[in-house]
Amino acid sequence: MSETSFTPRVFSGIQPTGNLHLGNYLGALKRFVDWQAMDAETIYCMVDLHAITVWQNPTDLQKSTRELCAGFIAAGLDPEKSILINQSQVPEHAQLAWVFNCVARMGWMQRMTQFKDKAGKNAQNASLGLFAYPALMAADILVYHATHVPVGEDQKQHLELARDIATKFNHDYGVDFFPITEPVIEGAGTRVMSLRDGTKKMSKSDVSDASRINLTDDADTIAKKIRKAKTDPDALPSEVEGLSDRAEAKNLVNIYAGLNNQSVEDVLVDVGGKQFSEFKPMLVELAVSKMSPITTEMARLMEHQDEIDKILARGAERARAITAPILRQTYDIIGMVPPAPF
Ligand code: TYM
């Protein structure tokens, strides 16, 4: 983890679209919990406004948002220690995003690879929100003056854009107001790949459910998916270099390292020379022991949706104590007349 000489304010978010998977867990959620354990000020968000950049069924969106909150808590986030929020309940995110839409340049947005991937061949038919997505993401972070943002590798370009927006805003208005945020992309789990194809990212949108492990999968399903995971015929190497052109082997070792809080080097010391027939059962046991308690706790929490809603309402109140003054200061800087007292 990066060394800092001040108390960091950590912000990150996850979209409430469909199931959380092992990539979200290792690349983000588990690391959110690590930051919480370091007594950093931590704010974690269910980004429902980002979710609607592509069409969402309203009933499913509500369910997924609550389920994501349950997943946050089941994985170890404590709503007393971390501020847990639903993006649409903290209106300053969207308000600052508008300001950033006016700071960011069209050319910057056009370079975003995730927009190109998500919009596909028919970019003219994509929503304007999908195009402006990274400006809202920058607002999420900067409306808290957050300093550190733990994410998986796929968010790197968006975080660079958040830095560009902060730099341009500060420059255009001659201020030193928004911090230049530090992306935190560290550890073995920041790029978990598909179990069916080690060159493709594990993702919610993959048509094959066998390509990912969902946080809602039971022990049998996890075991089946790992047993079926694509591999090659060779034994595991004892050195990291031996994984360089073996995408699937590398992925499974990375997953093992991420789940077991180990470096890939240390894992290979233990498993180097083993065949997959021996390694896969070890991975099954580890994955089930780490994931099953989360799955069970998530299901239990989902039976108390009123509690989840209260946690989100309380989170929004705590968040707004931070975001409202920062938005007001932003408006002052750019010349918006403040509302006069009656
Ligand atoms: P989202 O919802 O796609 O993913 C949530 C987090 O999970 C990470 N992740 C992965 N990590 C490792 N391997 C994978 N296969 C994998 N798939 C997903 C993502 O990198 C991410 O950290 N735009 C963001 C949400 C967001 C956000 C923010 C994040 C909105 N505002 C502000 C940080 C700060 C997204 O769509 O993540």
Side-chain angles (χ1 to χ4, degrees):
M1 218 153 269
S2 317
E3 275 187 34
T4 47
S5 55
F6 55 92
T7 311
R9 180 177 279 168
V10 180
F11 179 93
S12 197
I14 298 185
Q15 293 195 61
T17 45
N19 288 330
L20 279 169
H21 56 69
L22 186 63
N24 299 131
Y25 177 65
L26 291 178
L29 201 41
K30 184 169 178 296
R31 297 165 58 229
F32 297 177
V33 179
D34 293 341
W35 275 103
Q36 177 186 264
M38 295 199 312
D39 278 336
E41 188 180 358
T42 42
I43 304 154
Y44 298 122
C45 186
M46 291 123 244
V47 292
D48 53 356
L49 296 173
H50 277 109
I52 61 159
T53 55
V54 295
W55 194 82
Q56 302 294 326
N57 174 298
T59 312
D60 292 349
L61 180 60
Q62 279 204 349
K63 179 166 179 272
S64 297
T65 305
R66 292 188 175 117
E67 216 161 57
L68 181 55
C69 186
F72 276 16
I73 298 168
L77 292 179
D78 174 352
E80 293 301 315
K81 290 190 183 149
S82 294
I83 299 180
L84 303 185
I85 48 163
N86 182 11
Q87 193 182 28
S88 60
Q89 289 186 28
V90 184
E92 289 78 14
H93 289 236
Q95 288 174 290
L96 185 62
W98 180 257
V99 176
F100 286 170
N101 280 343
C102 302
V103 173
R105 306 289 94 181
M106 295 285 285
W108 298 0
M109 298 302 191
Q110 271 155 356
R111 282 195 288 276
M112 294 293 113
T113 53
Q114 278 215 348
F115 174 75
K116 290 185 210 164
D117 290 348
K118 282 197 184 173
K121 291 198 180 80
N122 200 0
Q124 289 302 312
N125 203 31
S127 74
L128 193 52
L130 190 66
F131 190 66
Y133 181 114
L136 176 58
M137 196 166 150
D140 293 338
I141 299 163
L142 294 171
V143 80
Y144 295 91
H145 279 188
T147 54
H148 289 67
V149 185
V151 283
E153 220 173 86
D154 60 348
Q155 296 301 315
K156 190 163 184 257
Q157 197 185 28
H158 287 160
L159 293 193
E160 280 160 6
L161 191 101
R163 291 162 70 93
D164 290 344
I165 289 177
T167 306
K168 182 163 163 54
F169 181 98
N170 289 345
H171 175 264
D172 287 355
Y173 292 100
V175 291
D176 186 15
F177 184 61
F178 285 117
I180 309 304
T181 304
E182 207 51 58
V184 191
I185 304 174
E186 289 169 348
T190 54
R191 192 163 175 78
V192 177
M193 310 307 278
S194 155
L195 298 180
R196 309 299 300 157
D197 176 353
T199 62
K200 262 173 58 186
K201 195 181 70 166
M202 183 178 286
S203 119
K204 290 172 193 172
S205 53
D206 196 314
V207 285
S208 161
D209 192 58
S211 69
R212 63 184 161 260
I213 294 175
N214 302 305
L215 251 63
T216 46
D217 286 343
D218 60 22
D220 279 352
T221 311
I222 295 175
K224 218 176 281 167
K225 287 180 177 175
I226 293 177
R227 273 200 303 270
K228 277 194 173 167
K230 190 175 167 198
T231 48
D232 58 42
D234 296 335
L236 285 165
S238 355
E239 310 269 330
V240 179
E241 297 71 48
L243 291 172
S244 58
D245 52 359
R246 297 176 63 188
E248 282 82 18
K250 182 176 173 187
N251 188 36
L252 294 187
V253 173
N254 270 344
I255 291 174
Y256 192 98
L259 283 170
N260 215 24
N261 285 326
Q262 275 183 298
S263 67
V264 171
E265 286 82 356
D266 286 348
V267 173
L268 290 179
V269 169
D270 296 338
V271 305
K274 289 192 196 303
Q275 295 291 338
F276 282 102
S277 53
E278 214 181 327
F279 177 64
K280 278 187 171 178
M282 290 172 65
L283 183 57
V284 168
E285 198 186 317
L286 178 65
V288 168
S289 75
K290 299 283 180 181
M291 315 279 289
S292 286
I294 301 177
T295 311
T296 311
E297 180 62 3
M298 255 175 94
R300 193 191 68 76
L301 289 166
M302 279 303 279
E303 284 168 16
H304 302 279
Q305 292 193 8
D306 49 336
E307 289 302 317
I308 291 180
D309 290 358
K310 278 186 203 152
I311 286 168
L312 292 177
R314 173 80 187 112
E317 186 184 301
R318 288 169 68 196
R320 296 198 72 193
I322 304 172
T323 57
I326 291 179
L327 182 73
R328 185 61 252 167
Q329 279 172 279
T330 310
Y331 278 178
D332 289 344
I333 291 169
I334 62 183
M336 305 293 183
V337 175
F342 289 115

